[in-house]
Amino acid sequence: MPQSQPEILLEDSEGIARAAALLTQGALVAIPTETVYGLAGDARNDTACARIFEAKGRPRFNPLIVHLPGLDAVAEIAELSNSARDLAQAFWPGPMTLVLPLKPGHGLSPLVTAGLETVAIRLPAHPTARAILTAFGGPIAAPSANPSGQISPTTASHVIDGLGDRVAAVLDAGSCAVGLESTILAPSDTGTRLLREGGLPREAIEPLTGPLITDTTPGRIEAPGQLSRHYAPSVPMQLNAPLDDMSAVRVGFTEADGGDLALSQSGDLVEAAAALFRVLHEADALARTQGKAAIHVAPIPETGLGRAINDRLRRAAAP
Ligand code: TXA
Ligand code: MG
């Protein structure tokens, strides 16, 4: 029996209206953002939120990011301190998520906040994501649109390969420009904590906030992206590897590294970030079709977006 497939929607007014209508019915729609594709559901609807966890096969109910179209919508559900407002003004819309105190009467499903007093909020920059948020007219919960623990999706076909008919529709807007999940920050009076490295590099944030606080409480997982094994392909990965072992799929940082695949043509970290999850998907597929037992990845510089790239690679390589 052929597996049924999700509806494929286009980036036109019809596709956007259909996505909004499905969300209103409580269905799940994979939507493009500039970071990765999100598995979107109505953040006020308990059933829709429960479906998100079920579709991803998430082992437990981690809180989800709430996507909103603008600062007015943020102010309805969360408290914006001065430091939060400064960050919002500098980096929204864009690849940054802020963890903020909830306001009473916020109306979100408790599954979104996992019972916390705070909520993670993001204003995406992708024009199609923004159009869907406006057409839907409410908060959208959206984790990355992949099965839990697997590589995040940066194209519509990644979503379909991973989730199949566990999502009602996929809005296909091509590849995600940033290619890494958002940077998660928790601003407070005593400084700003960095909860997840991501598409907004630390170097861009610290001139505004001062040094970011990164010493998270040991043993306390605040984001699935902080699980030690995450974003994992189906074969073992080795990092900082010389690319001379032909029994492995070899991934270079640049094309000059001479691998089977490369993250960027000439060593541009923005290009490498945008390509990372696509290249991991491709490396995984090559390992399977060519019977290779491992994926070897060349060293990536630990600056700017390189930090988030190395963070994802370390988790993908964790045993
Ligand atoms: O780029 C992104 O952020 C993508 C796109 C689709 O927007 N979304 C994404 O969402 O990565 P998700 O749900 O996979 O990751 C959100 C992370 C979770 O790991 C969760 O633990 C953390 O944010 N989070 C959510 N609410 C939180 C809270 N109140 N306090 C601390 N962490 C929170
Ligand atoms: Mg994810």
Side-chain angles (χ1 to χ4, degrees):
M1 208 177 89
Q3 202 202 358
S4 68
Q5 291 285 307
E7 278 178 48
I8 308 297
L9 309 177
L10 302 178
E11 274 185 294
D12 52 16
S13 52
E14 207 178 312
I16 287 160
R18 178 69 182 147
L22 285 166
L23 290 168
T24 303
Q25 292 165 25
L28 304 186
V29 183
I31 64 167
T33 82
E34 72 277 26
T35 57
V36 298
Y37 276 75
L39 180 59
D42 181 346
R44 299 158 302 191
N45 178 328
D46 293 333
T47 310
C49 294
R51 284 191 183 126
I52 292 176
F53 290 101
E54 182 191 48
K56 283 186 67 82
R58 258 202 190 169
R60 53 202 194 110
F61 289 168
N62 288 298
L64 301 172
I65 293 179
V66 173
H67 298 70
L68 293 169
L71 272 184
D72 292 347
V74 179
E76 283 173 25
I77 65 172
E79 309 281 354
L80 276 160
S81 64
N82 287 336
S83 55
R85 215 170 267 281
D86 289 346
L87 284 164
Q89 246 137 34
F91 302 117
W92 272 346
M96 173 187 75
T97 293
L98 294 181
V99 174
L100 303 172
L102 272 168
K103 267 191 183 167
H106 53 75
L108 299 173
S109 165
L111 280 173
V112 169
T113 56
L116 298 170
E117 305 283 290
T118 52
V119 59
I121 294 180
R122 176 157 114 78
L123 271 58
H126 197 293
T128 306
R130 298 176 64 72
I132 293 168
L133 280 161
T134 304
F136 173 60
I140 291 180
S144 53
N146 54 286
S148 188
Q150 295 185 17
I151 303 164
S152 298
T154 55
T155 65
S157 67
H158 294 162
V159 176
I160 296 162
D161 290 348
L163 294 178
D165 64 358
R166 282 178 278 167
V167 55
V170 180
L171 198 148
D172 186 352
S175 299
C176 302
V178 175
L180 293 170
E181 293 87 347
S182 58
T183 300
I184 305 183
L185 300 174
S188 84
D189 297 343
T190 53
T192 299
R193 291 165 61 220
L194 175 63
L195 300 182
R196 177 174 77 183
E197 303 257 19
L200 181 67
R202 200 188 291 197
E203 287 87 338
I205 305 163
E206 288 186 325
L208 199 74
T209 57
L212 292 171
I213 304 160
T214 52
D215 56 337
T216 45
T217 320
R220 177 138 163 259
I221 295 163
E222 298 201 60
Q226 290 172 235
L227 291 171
S228 59
R229 181 169 169 82
H230 199 71
Y231 312 103
S234 59
V235 296
M237 277 183 49
Q238 190 185 320
L239 308 185
N240 301 312
L243 299 188
D244 54 4
D245 181 348
M246 308 305 274
S247 72
V249 177
R250 300 157 308 136
V251 178
F253 172 44
T254 72
E255 284 182 356
D257 288 342
D260 304 299
L261 301 163
L263 289 174
S264 97
Q265 212 167 21
S266 57
D268 176 44
L269 285 166
V270 174
E271 192 186 321
L276 177 68
F277 291 133
R278 173 182 57 75
V279 168
L280 288 182
H281 280 280
E282 284 174 12
D284 201 14
L286 270 184
R288 272 181 269 131
T289 54
Q290 301 184 349
K292 299 205 167 169
I295 297 170
H296 289 177
V297 185
I300 314 294
E302 182 73 5
T303 57
L305 287 177
R307 270 200 276 269
I309 295 172
N310 282 318
D311 168 82
R312 302 302 188 272
L313 285 171
R314 277 191 295 275
R315 293 175 205 282

